Amino acid sequence: MNSITIKAYAKINLGLDVIRKRPDGYHDVSMIMQTLNLYDTLRIKKTKSKSLTLRSNLHFLPTDRRNLVYKAVELFHEKCPIESGLNIHINKSIPVAAGLAGGSADAAATLKGLNNLFNTGLSLNELMAIGVKLGADVPYCLLMGTALSEGIGEILKPLPHMPDCYILLVKPSVSISTKYVYENLRLDGNNISHPDILTMISALEEGSLDKLSSHMDNILETVTAKEYPIIEKIKEIMKDRGALTSLMSCSGPTVFGIFNDKEKAESAYSYFKSSRYGKQIFLTKPYFPKE
Ligand code: ATP
C-alpha cells in the first residue's frame, strides 16, 4: 500500500464538568463526549524522499511543527521508525479553534492512518498512549462514539450510544481562548452548578434523548456566557426553533442544538444560514465507528 485516505471526525461535549484544578495547572474533568458525522479528510502518501510535507486547503493553518498532524508523525516515528518520506494533505471541513477538537481528530487519524499504512500493528491502547502526549482529547478521538472522559481527558469509558437525533452546529465569528476560559473559571463560587453527569449516563442507559437533553450542561459557559452574549443568543434561538436543548461545545465558541424532529432541524439550519449569527453552520448527526 502506497497511500491511505482517512477521515478525522469532530466531537462535541454533551456534558462538561470541571472537578478541580490540579497543582500542575491542568484540570480534572468529567465529560460526556460524542463523535459527529462531520470530518476532515487526510490523505497520507509514502514518498521516496525522507522528508515530511504537509499541505491543507486552509491557507492560515500552519503546516510545520505547530500542526498536530506533524507532531503526530514525529511521535509515531519515535515509537515505530518509518523508512519513508510522507506527503500529507489535510482537507479541513471541521471549523478551526471551534471547540470541536479538529486538531485532535486530525492527530488521532494520522496515528491510525500510519499504523495501517506501515502495518505496525499498534493496539488502540498503544496509539492512545502516543496520543495523550499530543493533547488531552486525542485518546478520545481515537476511541470515538459516546464516551465518558475523566482525568485530564485520558481516562475513557465507552457509554451506550447516544440516541439518534439531528445536531445543528453554529460557530459564531468570535474567538475564545481555551486558556482564558479555564483561567477564569471559578469553581469556588456559591452559585456554580455542576452538570449532573451521572444522570446523563443513566439517560444513555435508558436510551432517553429527552432525559439526556434535559441534563446537558457545560460548566465553561459560566465564563463564556458573560463575555460573549452571542452564545446565549444562539442557544435561545435554537430552543425557540424546536431544539430539545442547546449548549456550547467545550470552551466554545461553537453552539450546538439537539433536535428529534428533522423538519425543525432543517428549518433552524436554514434560518441560521441566512442570519448574521455565524458563518460556519452544519446540520449533522451522531457518528459511531463500525465495530
Ligand atoms: P478543542 O475542542 O480540543 O479545544 P478546538 O476545536 O478548539 O479544539 P482546533 O481546531 O483543534 O481547536 O485548533 C486549535 C489550534 O490548533 C488552532 O489555533 C490551530 O492553529 C492549531 N492546529 C494545529 N494543528 C491543527 C489541525 N490539524 N487542525 C486544526 N487546527 C490545528
Side-chain angles (χ1 to χ4, degrees):
M1 194 160 49
N2 196 43
S3 69
I4 191 166
T5 300
I6 186 155
K7 292 174 178 171
Y9 291 87
K11 68 94 182 101
I12 51 173
N13 302 75
L14 302 179
L16 192 163
D17 195 12
V18 179
I19 312 295
R20 67 181 184 112
K21 186 170 180 183
R22 306 177 355 162
D24 61 9
Y26 284 97
H27 290 80
D28 278 326
V29 293
S30 180
M31 312 190 286
I32 297 186
M33 322 285 273
Q34 177 60 53
T35 313
L36 300 179
N37 192 17
L38 167 68
Y39 52 83
D40 297 339
T41 306
L42 279 78
R43 183 164 173 78
I44 309 178
K45 214 171 159 188
K46 292 180 188 169
T47 61
K48 292 212 171 72
S49 78
K50 291 275 173 211
S51 59
L52 166 61
T53 311
L54 205 58
R55 289 202 180 82
S56 129
N57 59 325
L58 298 183
H59 64 89
F60 59 84
L61 201 67
T63 50
D64 52 19
R65 223 162 244 121
R66 287 169 296 166
N67 196 302
L68 279 179
V69 168
Y70 203 106
K71 288 192 195 149
V73 173
E74 288 187 329
L75 283 185
F76 185 88
H77 185 73
E78 277 176 22
K79 175 98 180 160
C80 306
I82 304 169
E83 293 299 318
S84 167
L86 293 172
N87 270 346
I88 302 183
H89 187 270
I90 314 170
N91 191 54
K92 295 262 346 151
S93 298
I94 305 172
V96 176
L100 300 171
S104 303
D106 291 351
T110 303
L111 295 176
K112 268 190 196 165
L114 293 175
N115 198 32
N116 290 343
L117 187 61
F118 292 95
N119 275 318
T120 31
L122 297 184
S123 66
L124 182 60
N125 280 340
E126 285 173 308
L127 292 175
M128 284 177 172
I130 304 176
V132 75
K133 295 181 193 166
L134 293 159
D137 280 343
V138 179
Y140 166 72
C141 291
L142 284 155
L143 178 71
M144 304 206 285
T146 314
L148 177 67
S149 165
E150 293 178 306
I152 62 161
E154 83 292 12
I155 305 170
L156 294 166
K157 185 179 160 215
L159 293 171
H161 287 189
M162 174 188 196
D164 192 30
C165 61
Y166 298 88
I167 301 177
L168 177 61
L169 303 174
V170 176
K171 179 184 175 273
S173 305
V174 293
S175 31
I176 299 182
S177 141
T178 304
K179 194 164 170 271
Y180 173 87
V181 173
Y182 273 97
E183 278 175 3
N184 285 279
L185 179 66
R186 296 280 163 267
L187 293 173
D188 46 8
N190 286 336
N191 47 9
I192 189 119
S193 106
H194 288 266
D196 187 350
I197 300 291
L198 288 179
T199 301
M200 291 183 70
I201 294 173
S202 74
L204 286 166
E205 284 160 353
E206 291 160 27
S208 168
L209 184 62
D210 283 336
K211 182 170 164 183
L212 180 66
S213 301
S214 66
H215 287 89
M216 286 184 194
D217 198 2
N218 178 351
I219 201 165
L220 301 181
E221 287 183 358
T222 56
V223 181
T224 54
K226 276 186 238 136
E227 299 278 333
Y228 305 96
I230 191 166
I231 290 183
E232 239 4 271
K233 185 74 197 159
I234 295 171
K235 286 173 60 178
E236 272 167 32
I237 298 172
M238 284 200 185
K239 286 188 241 176
D240 286 348
R241 294 195 161 254
L244 297 178
T245 192
S246 173
L247 68 157
M248 184 181 79
S249 184
C250 201
S251 55
T254 303
V255 175
F256 66 87
I258 305 288
F259 291 80
N260 56 8
D261 181 300
K262 188 175 182 213
E263 276 172 26
K264 283 184 185 158
E266 284 174 345
S267 146
Y269 171 78
S270 306
Y271 169 81
F272 279 106
K273 271 290 204 192
S274 58
S275 80
R276 63 193 157 81
Y277 289 105
K279 282 202 198 103
Q280 288 168 291
I281 295 146
F282 302 88
L283 183 56
T284 183
K285 294 188 89 133
Y287 176 79
F288 298 96
K290 317 269 173 300
E291 284 167 9

